[in-house]
């Protein structure tokens, strides 16, 4: 099992930069559904993908239990 701190370190290294404080707060949200509302270019899609990876890789949530949508 991967720890959350290691998860962020690996992705920050792969990305070449860390998430902003607001983005990391959204990724680390742990209780219930998450609804993101933000303007264009704010990194919503990156947060959704990173949060989904966290649910699958860190929290061991079954892939069929995750529903992600955007428009």
């Amino acid at each position: 099992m991967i720890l959350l701190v290691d998860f962020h370190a690996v992705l920050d290294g792969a990305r070449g930069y860390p998430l902003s404080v607001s983005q990391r707060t959204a990724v680390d949200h742990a209780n219930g559904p998450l609804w993101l509302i933000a303007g264009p270019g704010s990194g919503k899609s990156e947060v959704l993908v990173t949060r989904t990876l966290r649910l699958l890789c860190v929290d061991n949530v079954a892939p069929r239990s995750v529903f992600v949508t955007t428009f």
Side-chain angles (χ1 to χ4, degrees), residues 11 21-22 28 43 51 54:
L11 287 181
V21 172
S22 297
D28 292 348
R51 179 163 166 71
R54 177 195 167 218

Side-chain angles (χ1 to χ4, degrees), residues 33-69:
L34 178 65
W35 187 18
L36 295 175
I37 301 174
S42 59
K44 293 179 301 296
S45 295
E46 187 166 10
V47 166
L48 288 172
V49 169
T50 305
R51 179 163 166 71
T52 302
L53 284 171
R54 177 195 167 218
L55 290 171
L56 299 173
C57 299
V58 177
D59 299 335
N60 295 315
V61 172
R64 66 179 5 183
S65 298
V66 179
F67 180 76
V68 179
T69 184

